[in-house]
Amino acid sequence: MSFEQFSLDPRIVAQIKAVGYSTPTPIQQQAIPRVLEGRDVLGLAQTGTGKTAAFLLPILQRLTQRRSRRVRALIVAPTRELAEQIYQMCLDLGKVTKVRAVTVYGGVSKSSQVSRLRAGVEIVIACPGRLLDIVDDGNLDLSRVEVLVLDEADRMCDMGFLPDIRRILKLLPAQRQTLFFCATMPADIRELADRILKDPVTVQIGKIAPAQTVSHALYPVPPNLKKRLLLSILEQTSTGRVLIFTRTKYRARNLARDLVKRGYRAAALQGNMSQNQRQKAIDGFRSKKYDILAATDVAARGIDVSEISHVINFDIPDTVDAYTHRIGRTGRAHRSGEAFTFAGQEDAQLVRDIEKLLGTQIERRRLANFDYGSFVPENQFKTTYSDPRRKTPSQHRRNHNHANGRRNGPRRRPQRRK
Ligand code: AMP
């Protein structure tokens, strides 16, 4: 299948090629024709599947057919980072057709957003709070919106945005196209989707589980050895960009600081940083100024950096959904990645839940040449620990290479600061 088959404006197709997409991803194959027909869509897909382009391309097609200076498409996203990512893709894919878009979110000056709105835009990409703020000020009219996208709707509900979403819905014309994307389907999301979608087409990409291109590994480790284990893994493993998740802002900050002290090009990404500092960290990660980002879940939402080779769960996530979101940062669209999770016996229940979601047992690893002291990794999660001695020699070799953090190709240390 190719992008030519969608009957998109040739300028848009040319731009898709210029951006570097050769074939549509499965969600794009399924969703784009239906969105172009004007149908409401319920898209069940995690990040990394290409869902953004799946809704942006038909929107660009619609706007290109008839130009106007009114807000005709509204895309609502839970975080500034995700809004920026959608905006960036909108700029990339809409470069030739010059569709005007603006981002609207809190934490930055309202006046520049308002003046861009006043100049006339066709797409507004917004976080709920600031959007309502600007509407309440009388600076934005949503009564002509033709397409509404709710992206990561489940995240928005998790973050308490449901009342804001309900208010936004009241500001929109009843006659519109609605595209609803989420990675999970809890009861409140199902109820919201049922209420606002008219005769929707459901587009689901596989199971609602982490991307298939990611391989998962579990490192049993007690809390006091985590940092040393991380450093040893970084020393021994061939990595590209590494995203490390911690449970708290404080731990993200400290971990980044320790890594920098040891010569790694690392930065923190956590909620106590200003929007400006956060954007700098993300941009630095994207431009390869930093190889490692130590982040909290909230701060890392919506981060769109391709070629993340490793996601390391320094602290296991609080929920299975959070695991899916974290892991969605690697293995994005046709690429592969590795997800390492550090876990102690206290995390046993979450490990079981994640394995249920994955439908398979996560491979246990013990890092070779690492002093675990009296801790015996093989004694943890005992019921499911696979014994490498029972494997065939070739499997054993592969296991050994894994244990040393090696996969394909020669070992390369992460770059140290010059
Ligand atoms: P998303 O799931 O929308 O966050 O997209 C994940 C990543 O996939 C982004 O970096 C996109 O630029 C990339 N992407 C989207 N569509 C394609 C495609 N058809 N081919 C290759 N990469 C894509």
Side-chain angles (χ1 to χ4, degrees), residues 91-392:
L91 290 187
D92 289 345
L93 294 172
K95 198 168 177 182
V96 189
T97 46
K98 298 194 169 52
V99 169
R100 285 176 295 262
V102 67
T103 46
V104 163
Y105 49 71
V108 292
S109 146
K110 191 156 67 174
S111 57
S112 65
Q113 295 172 352
V114 169
S115 48
R116 291 191 64 191
L117 283 166
R118 288 218 179 106
V121 294
E122 296 154 289
I123 306 182
V124 171
I125 303 159
C127 296
R130 175 60 64 87
L131 180 74
L132 286 170
D133 199 6
I134 290 183
V135 170
D136 290 343
D137 292 346
N139 287 318
L140 176 58
D141 173 17
L142 296 176
S143 65
R144 304 284 184 97
V145 167
E146 296 165 32
V147 188
L148 166 71
V149 180
L150 293 179
D151 196 13
E152 298 200 358
D154 45 346
R155 282 269 147 195
M156 290 200 269
C157 287
D158 281 356
M159 292 167 77
F161 284 136
L162 199 51
D164 286 353
I165 303 281
R166 292 207 175 100
R167 268 198 65 205
I168 293 166
L169 289 165
K170 286 192 187 133
L171 301 166
L172 304 172
Q175 192 62 37
R176 60 159 199 268
Q177 184 179 29
T178 305
L179 312 174
F180 189 106
F181 288 86
C182 55
T184 55
M185 212 49 186
D188 50 352
I189 286 291
R190 164 69 59 196
E191 188 266 329
L192 179 68
D194 286 348
R195 202 162 54 77
I196 67 172
L197 294 169
K198 287 186 192 136
D199 187 23
V201 185
T202 301
V203 173
Q204 180 168 353
I205 296 309
K207 273 189 305 174
I208 310 174
Q212 302 295 310
T213 46
V214 180
S215 68
H216 306 257
L218 188 77
Y219 284 89
V221 60
N224 62 323
L225 294 185
K226 277 185 181 180
K227 199 179 285 177
R228 270 210 304 114
L229 181 70
L230 174 73
L231 292 169
S232 297
I233 287 178
L234 290 175
E235 275 288 309
Q236 297 186 29
T237 310
S238 157
T239 54
R241 289 195 188 87
V242 182
L243 184 55
I244 303 174
F245 282 97
T246 64
R247 192 169 292 135
T248 65
K249 303 172 200 174
Y250 174 80
R251 280 158 83 82
R253 193 190 61 196
N254 282 356
L255 200 55
R257 205 164 44 197
D258 286 356
L259 289 167
V260 170
K261 269 194 210 147
R262 286 178 164 77
Y264 288 101
R265 304 191 306 172
L269 180 67
Q270 43 88 5
N272 281 349
M273 292 158 60
S274 69
Q275 172 61 15
N276 201 14
Q277 288 171 322
R278 281 201 257 173
Q279 199 58 51
K280 268 195 182 149
I282 293 175
D283 290 345
F285 194 45
R286 188 178 285 126
S287 67
K288 302 197 175 164
K289 180 175 167 196
Y290 305 121
D291 299 318
I292 304 174
L293 211 54
T296 54
D297 288 280
V298 175
R301 269 176 208 158
I303 183 178
D304 177 35
V305 177
S306 56
E307 296 172 57
I308 291 178
S309 71
H310 289 77
V311 167
I312 301 182
N313 293 316
F314 187 82
D315 296 315
I316 201 164
D318 289 335
T319 61
V320 176
D321 284 356
Y323 184 84
T324 303
H325 277 269
R326 287 182 180 186
I327 302 317
R329 311 291 165 229
T330 185
R332 291 171 89 79
H334 310 319
R335 296 184 198 280
S336 59
E338 288 196 290
F340 295 164
T341 299
F342 293 1
Q345 207 51 50
E346 62 282 8
D347 304 315
Q349 184 56 48
L350 264 161
V351 170
R352 274 194 294 273
D353 292 346
I354 293 166
E355 291 185 326
K356 223 155 96 192
L357 171 90
L358 294 170
T360 177
Q361 186 192 306
I362 304 178
E363 178 194 334
R364 274 64 169 150
R365 289 192 198 167
R366 162 198 252 280
L367 190 71
N369 310 322
F370 179 77
D371 181 9
Y372 283 91
S374 58
F375 182 84
V376 185
E378 290 83 347
N379 286 350
Q380 315 298 311
F381 313 105
K382 236 179 167 174
T383 47
T384 48
Y385 195 87
S386 58
D387 183 351
R389 282 165 303 184
R390 293 223 184 97
K391 295 191 173 171
T392 63

Side-chain angles (χ1 to χ4, degrees), residues 51-77:
K51 69 184 164 63
T52 315
F55 63 74
L56 272 183
L57 289 169
I59 289 178
L60 291 172
Q61 173 71 12
R62 176 193 280 262
L63 301 184
T64 307
Q65 279 166 341
R66 179 173 62 81
R67 301 312 294 262
S68 128
R69 293 184 97 76
R70 294 184 185 286
V71 178
R72 294 173 59 201
L74 173 65
I75 300 166
V76 187

